[in-house]
Amino acid sequence: MTPKKRALLCLTGNKWKADRVSAFDPLTTATVEQMEIVKAPFPDAHRSPKLMAKLAAAAWEIVGLEGFKVPFDLCVQAEALGAEIHYGALDIHPSVRKPAFKELEDFKIPEKILEKGRFPVVEGSVKILREKYGDYLPICRQVVGPFTIAGHVFGVEKFCAWIKRKDPEDLLDVLLQLADLNVEEARAALQMGADVICIADPTASSDILSPQTFKELLVPAYQRITSKVGAPVVLHICGNATSYLPYLPDTGIDAFSCDAQVDIAFAKQVLGNRVAVWGNVPTVKVLLQGTPEDVKRACIECICKGTDGLIPSCGIPPRTPIENFRMLPQVASCMVYV
Amino acid sequence: MESSKNKEEVFERLKQAIIEGDEVEAVKWAEEAVKRGIDAYEAISKGCLEGMNVVGDKYARREYFIPEVVLAAQAMNMAVEVLKPHVKMEKGPSGVVVIGTVQGDVHDIGKNIVKIMLEAAGFKVIDLGRDVPLKDFVETAKQQNADIIAMSALMTTTMPGMGKVVKMLEEDENLRRRVKVMIGGAPTSEEYARRIGADAWGKDAVAAVELAKKFMQEKHV
């Protein structure tokens, strides 16, 4: 079975039709050690299709993860919408310096947005990966979810205050427009050869929003994306998303990637066969600060709890040692269903 | 008797306004406190901060979420703006603090509360804002002759920036001896502070003020 077929089966809730769980990481895979080995460091790797593809490929070539994911940062959409970006450093991810819009009424998606900012870089890197690796390994194109983009282009606090002060219809309208942007970029990436779309919406965390707000503002936005994309969709939300679990089947996603605070066994119980659950080897306590032995133990625990894909609980911290990260594909490949 | 009841009422109203995130009421009762000649520091700590503590508890219980917290913080800021000019300073500022949220991190509600409390306690606070380039902490501390650098990070991806600031500071031995470093923020801990070489870790705004005061006492011994 090819890693691509295995990943697609595990993402769509057909784990038992695969030979084992997948170790295809649809979250950020780049670490400083990989950057040094393949000579594709941050921040340059954010801005060149060639370097981006090279660093994404290191996930497979060096760590052994069963596929690729691009881009590495969360600012592509906000940048194309006009926010000011700081590109960070070797071990610091890019971030938004200055929002793009002051008021909700100022919001406008520019025409031909996919030609702006770093969209061409990302799509270019997908093309390179597809050409080089053929159909053997899956490629994940990350789209930053509507709520996180809104936080970037208006300011998180401002947008949060609007949830209490403005007409929800107006906010939903903006979030749906951002969802449409996600659809547009996802389709472009799929044409270039991507297989899977991962919606990364860290700001939609349940540490920030109530389950009620999630249901009213975000479920419709994710529905918009999943109904139009035409490829498997993974959703990643940071923090303890346990209170969101009952609403996830309504979003139409294929798989949910959960952070370390979520109990996979519980998530599996709530979601049953409706949504696959991927996760959640703790990034900081285990992958960054632990030993390979600790990682192995955490991996086995995730598998015992029924995870459908063995991946870190969140984007990998850039200083994570390769020997720790490597344990994920190693443990996954040792584990064969009996 | 009469006057203490009077005071209690203002504190209570101020507290409620902040819990409800009501800017208009918060400003109204802050002005009322000034008009009635109530001690402004007391109004900040017993009205505003108490209110914000309740908000923090409600957030911890998942009764409140960030939208409610943001409104409460805005109401508190407005009330503090009214009260701050009336805080009685016994002597000059008790110390200079450079504060900011490290590069890559845009979450700064916690940092703002620490800043308000430090100011209310008589410190001169230079606020670098959020998403602060790491070298700015050290450069500003040098230029402004600061006593303390206070940093916060709310994401595990930005946390390592704090360790780098300590390292940059250590490049200049004299500066390191003069400037104390304290850190805070959800993913940080006492142990993490020790590991990166910071001098202290503050659990919340009140702890941060206590630490800052302690640093200044040690300095003047």
Side-chain angles (χ1 to χ4, degrees), chain A residues 86 91-93 95-97 156-157 160-161 163-165 206-211 240 243 284 289 318-319, chain B residues 21 23 59 62 65-68 70-71 74 103-104 106-109 130-134 156-157 164 195:
Chain A
H86 185 275
D91 60 350
I92 296 176
H93 282 252
S95 55
V96 174
R97 258 284 121 85
V156 183
E157 278 170 41
C160 280
I163 290 175
K164 304 291 292 180
R165 293 229 165 105
S206 57
D207 297 326
I208 294 180
L209 301 177
S210 68
N240 189 352
S243 61
V284 178
Q289 296 170 356
R319 293 281 175 190
Chain B
E23 281 177 15
Y59 176 70
R62 296 197 164 231
F65 292 86
I66 297 294
E68 289 82 7
V70 171
L71 292 197
Q74 284 176 355
Q103 191 163 61
V106 294
H107 307 272
D108 67 348
I109 295 176
R130 53 189 172 192
D131 191 15
V132 177
L134 304 178
T156 52
T157 48
K164 281 191 190 153
R195 192 138 53 88

Side-chain angles (χ1 to χ4, degrees), chain B residues 10-83:
Chain B
V10 174
F11 295 160
E12 189 54 34
R13 295 284 189 142
L14 207 47
K15 185 174 147 187
Q16 285 308 324
I18 283 156
I19 294 171
E20 278 152 31
D22 189 334
E23 281 177 15
V24 179
E25 279 288 296
V27 168
K28 186 179 133 195
W29 286 97
E31 281 165 353
E32 194 61 34
V34 174
K35 213 160 78 193
R36 295 191 195 177
I38 294 167
D39 182 66
Y41 183 80
E42 222 183 328
I44 291 176
S45 63
K46 290 194 176 151
C48 301
L49 202 71
E50 290 267 303
M52 214 53 210
N53 282 342
V54 173
V55 171
D57 288 344
K58 282 179 183 277
Y59 176 70
R61 285 201 306 270
R62 296 197 164 231
E63 190 182 330
Y64 270 15
F65 292 86
I66 297 294
E68 289 82 7
V69 176
V70 171
L71 292 197
Q74 284 176 355
M76 178 184 68
N77 285 340
M78 306 269 289
V80 170
E81 280 307 307
V82 174
L83 292 164

Side-chain angles (χ1 to χ4, degrees), chain B residues 120-150:
Chain B
F123 283 87
K124 180 183 170 199
V125 182
I126 301 159
D127 185 5
L128 299 177
R130 53 189 172 192
D131 191 15
V132 177
L134 304 178
K135 62 174 183 357
D136 288 11
F137 283 99
V138 179
E139 276 168 16
T140 313
K142 207 177 206 168
Q143 282 161 13
Q144 304 283 334
N145 212 357
D147 303 290
I148 297 166
I149 290 178

Side-chain angles (χ1 to χ4, degrees), chain A residues 111-163:
Chain A
E111 270 175 51
K112 296 195 178 155
I113 187 163
L114 294 190
E115 291 167 18
K116 294 193 189 312
R118 288 180 293 135
F119 279 122
V121 174
V122 183
E123 266 48 279
S125 75
V126 172
K127 193 160 171 248
I128 295 172
L129 287 166
R130 178 51 76 223
E131 277 165 6
K132 182 155 183 218
Y133 292 92
D135 228 19
Y136 186 66
L137 291 154
I139 301 171
C140 174
R141 165 66 152 85
Q142 167 189 279
V143 302
V144 176
F147 194 77
T148 302
I149 308 180
H152 282 163
V153 297
F154 296 107
V156 183
E157 278 170 41
K158 200 189 262 180
F159 203 80
C160 280
W162 288 347
I163 290 175

Side-chain angles (χ1 to χ4, degrees), chain B residues 79-95:
Chain B
V80 170
E81 280 307 307
V82 174
L83 292 164
K84 215 161 59 186
H86 301 278
V87 172
K88 289 185 208 86
M89 297 277 182
E90 283 169 10
K91 34 193 175 330
S94 42

